[in-house]
Amino acid sequence: MATILFVVSGATYWVLKDGTRYATGYWAEEFALPYKKVTEAGHDVVVATPNGVTPNVDMMSLRPSMAGGEEGALELEAIIRSAEVMRRPLKLSDVRLEDYEAVYLPGGHGPMSDLWQDADAGRILTAQLASGRPLAIVCHAPAALLSTRIHGESPFKGYRCTGFTNDEEEAVGLASRATWLLEDELKDKIGVDYSRGAMWEPYKVEDRNLITGQNPHSAAVLADRLLELVS
């Protein structure tokens, strides 16, 4: 049995270009489906957030139109309600990586608000990469890679990865309103070898121990791969 650390955003809003506070948090599918797969396989999950705040689900991600229908939305909500670990998260600053076999970061726009500039997130990602143990990051959560820079340089430079695309951000109506776009920052500020699949289709990139997924529908694919690696 393995213990997997879920590093989750603690944000409740994301400040847009015009100063508007856009309500956000973590994306339901990206937490719930991996959590269900991992725990049903007999593994333990520990959640950590900045300052140990209780994570906030992005309510848009529980809309039937976003969750594959009414039944899908109800299933996601039931998983989240059952996940006691979400109500007692660790502080990122208290995380001891040697306690975990793998690290996973779900997205939502939350990481664009907090994890991208969180020093503890940067420490955890840098150390996990160096350890050789699995590090899985999906959708907007690769924003956290920005927190690994020291004097402008990131250990993730040159790694192959993916993340939420500019086209997908455009499709949800936020590309023109955001102060920065994830795809652009990963290429320009981190220097990753970025690739992508079709919009809204599952797409996974694996480079050494780093596994990244493009969008919410990639979360289950990442979870399956994590299970293979920790079993």
Side-chain angles (χ1 to χ4, degrees):
M1 183 193 294
T3 304
I4 298 176
L5 178 70
F6 278 36
V7 174
V8 183
S9 169
T12 56
Y13 64 87
W14 176 38
V15 180
L16 301 178
K17 198 183 290 182
D18 64 359
T20 303
R21 289 185 172 193
Y22 179 81
T24 189
Y26 68 89
W27 199 255
E29 178 180 354
E30 297 171 31
F31 167 78
L33 296 189
Y35 175 82
K36 183 172 190 272
K37 283 176 176 282
V38 164
T39 54
E40 285 186 349
H43 303 297
D44 291 329
V45 167
V46 172
V47 170
T49 64
N51 298 316
V53 300
T54 303
N56 180 69
V57 66
D58 188 323
M59 294 309 293
M60 189 179 290
S61 65
L62 290 172
R63 290 180 182 175
S65 60
M66 293 288 185
E70 191 74 42
E71 192 174 325
L74 289 171
E75 183 192 6
L76 292 177
E77 193 170 342
I79 296 167
I80 290 166
R81 285 186 188 281
S82 74
E84 283 293 324
V85 291
M86 286 297 247
R87 287 181 274 285
R88 43 181 174 79
L90 292 179
K91 293 180 180 178
L92 287 180
S93 57
D94 290 342
V95 164
R96 289 164 18 105
L97 273 179
E98 57 268 31
D99 295 338
Y100 309 102
E101 279 72 30
V103 174
Y104 169 67
L105 280 72
H109 284 103
M112 303 273 284
S113 178
D114 60 1
L115 295 183
W116 78 275
Q117 57 182 345
D118 187 285
D120 293 310
R123 172 184 61 82
I124 289 166
L125 294 185
T126 298
Q128 185 69 7
L129 188 72
S131 76
R133 294 188 298 273
L135 172 59
I137 314 177
V138 73
C139 199
H140 286 92
L145 300 188
L146 292 163
S147 68
T148 65
R149 292 172 296 170
I150 295 176
H151 305 305
E153 286 287 314
S154 167
F156 290 85
K157 182 178 181 179
Y159 272 74
R160 291 184 295 108
C161 89
T162 189
F164 204 66
T165 67
N166 290 353
D167 289 344
E168 286 165 322
E169 204 70 87
E170 186 72 47
V172 297
L174 288 167
S176 63
R177 301 174 65 196
T179 55
W180 50 275
L181 296 174
L182 179 62
E183 179 183 333
D184 292 344
E185 295 289 282
L186 289 175
K187 294 174 184 173
D188 300 342
K189 300 284 177 66
I190 303 296
V192 300
D193 179 4
Y194 181 92
S195 66
R196 53 164 293 175
M199 285 175 61
W200 312 123
E201 293 296 321
Y203 182 74
K204 170 177 73 73
V205 174
E206 192 166 342
D207 186 355
R208 290 156 276 185
N209 60 321
L210 175 66
I211 312 149
T212 49
Q214 179 177 314
N215 48 37
H217 297 328
S218 307
V221 177
L222 261 64
D224 289 339
R225 181 61 180 136
L226 267 186
L227 287 174
E228 290 172 2
L229 291 169
V230 301
S231 294

